[in-house]
């Protein structure tokens, strides 16, 4: 809005300098670029991220399975484990030795993190594995992937707006520096005689 009001103010003003009008045009151009390029780049980035993330969701859901594991025994807490007070509000994880059967039917035995607060021998819990029974992270779900894509698109649009605004500020800064340099040159020419009678000033 400042760019539009600047153009209107300097349209026929006798005090208008070339740089004043140029600053207003640069501001208007930056505003139009932000309004047009920002949403376009944000949308393209979001759509690209959405496609890649949804492909990843499908791949992870195809290659990972939730199997049922059985607790053999609970292990003592490792000194490297997170502070239990820091994990308040989240499901507690406990290190246990467990048995599970892979989706391909092979039996497995090992140390895993169980989502049980007080595990006992024979307790069952869910465990994500790959198709061969190796422990894997929970697969990404579609809603989380969409959220990440929206955040990526929004970030790209804001970054575009920031770069355009930065370019506008740099252009205006250079114009102002040029204007000050011209003022210094004019003052150097007129300065020594400024205010003296008979000098034509």
């Amino acid at each position: 809005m400042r760019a539009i009001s600047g153009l209107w103010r300097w349209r026929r003003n006798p005090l208008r300098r070339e740089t004043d009008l140029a600053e207003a045009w640069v501001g208007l151009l930056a505003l139009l670029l932000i309004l047009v390029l920002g949403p376009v780049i944000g949308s393209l980035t979001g759509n690209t991220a959405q496609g890649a993330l949804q492909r990843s969701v499908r791949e992870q859901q195809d290659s990972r399975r939730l199997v049922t594991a059985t607790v053999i025994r609970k292990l003592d807490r490792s000194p490297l484990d997170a502070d239990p007070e820091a994990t308040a509000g989240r499901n507690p994880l406990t290190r246990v030795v467990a048995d599970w059967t892979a989706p391909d039917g092979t039996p497995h035995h090992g140390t895993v993190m169980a989502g049980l607060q007080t595990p006992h021998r024979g307790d069952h819990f869910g465990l994500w594995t790959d198709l061969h029974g190796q422990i894997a992270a929970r697969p990404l779900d579609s809603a989380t992937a969409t959220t990440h894509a929206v955040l990526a698109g929004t970030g790209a649009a804001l970054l575009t707006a920031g770069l355009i605004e930065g370019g506008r500020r740099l252009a205006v800064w250079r114009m102002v520096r040029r204007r000050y340099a011209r003022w210094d040159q004019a003052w150097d020419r007129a300065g020594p005689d400024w205010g003296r009678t008979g000098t034509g000033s």
Side-chain angles (χ1 to χ4, degrees):
M1 293 308 294
R2 195 184 326 170
I4 296 170
S5 65
L7 279 174
W8 183 259
R9 185 176 64 236
W10 294 118
R11 202 165 52 107
R12 289 196 177 90
N13 192 322
L15 299 177
R16 182 195 77 196
R17 297 165 294 204
E18 288 180 15
T19 54
D20 295 325
L21 193 58
E23 280 180 36
W25 277 111
V26 166
L28 181 62
L29 179 63
L31 177 66
L32 292 175
L33 285 174
I34 287 171
L35 292 176
V36 173
L37 277 184
V40 167
I41 290 177
S43 177
L44 289 174
T45 303
N47 287 336
T48 302
Q50 174 76 339
L53 287 169
Q54 291 301 334
R55 273 193 304 279
S56 181
V57 166
R58 287 190 296 276
E59 289 169 5
Q60 289 183 15
Q61 289 177 348
D62 288 344
S63 64
R64 298 179 191 178
R65 296 289 184 271
L66 182 63
V67 300
T68 301
T70 305
V71 175
I72 302 301
R73 73 176 187 277
K74 177 182 175 182
L75 294 175
D76 292 333
R77 199 165 74 85
S78 165
L80 298 177
D81 287 346
D83 181 10
E85 292 180 10
T87 58
R90 291 185 285 175
N91 290 335
L93 294 177
T94 309
R95 286 177 6 123
V96 298
V97 175
D99 288 333
W100 66 94
T101 302
D104 64 4
T106 57
H108 288 269
H109 176 86
T111 302
V112 296
M113 300 300 288
L116 302 170
Q117 191 164 10
T118 55
H120 299 289
R121 181 178 178 82
D123 286 349
H124 300 290
F125 62 95
L127 183 67
W128 285 99
T129 70
D130 63 15
L131 298 177
H132 303 292
Q134 300 303 314
I135 297 169
R138 177 191 298 269
L140 185 65
D141 63 275
S142 184
T144 303
T146 300
T147 301
H148 287 302
V150 168
L151 290 174
T154 303
L158 291 175
L159 179 62
T160 301
L163 289 174
I164 292 170
E165 175 61 13
R168 182 198 70 81
R169 287 177 182 252
L170 179 62
V172 169
W173 176 76
R174 290 180 61 121
M175 282 188 248
V176 169
R177 293 270 307 222
R178 237 177 285 134
R179 182 189 307 155
Y180 286 161
R182 283 196 296 259
W183 282 355
D184 288 342
Q185 291 169 359
W187 181 252
D188 287 343
R189 286 192 302 270
D193 297 328
W194 186 263
R196 292 185 185 172
T197 55
T199 58
S201 55

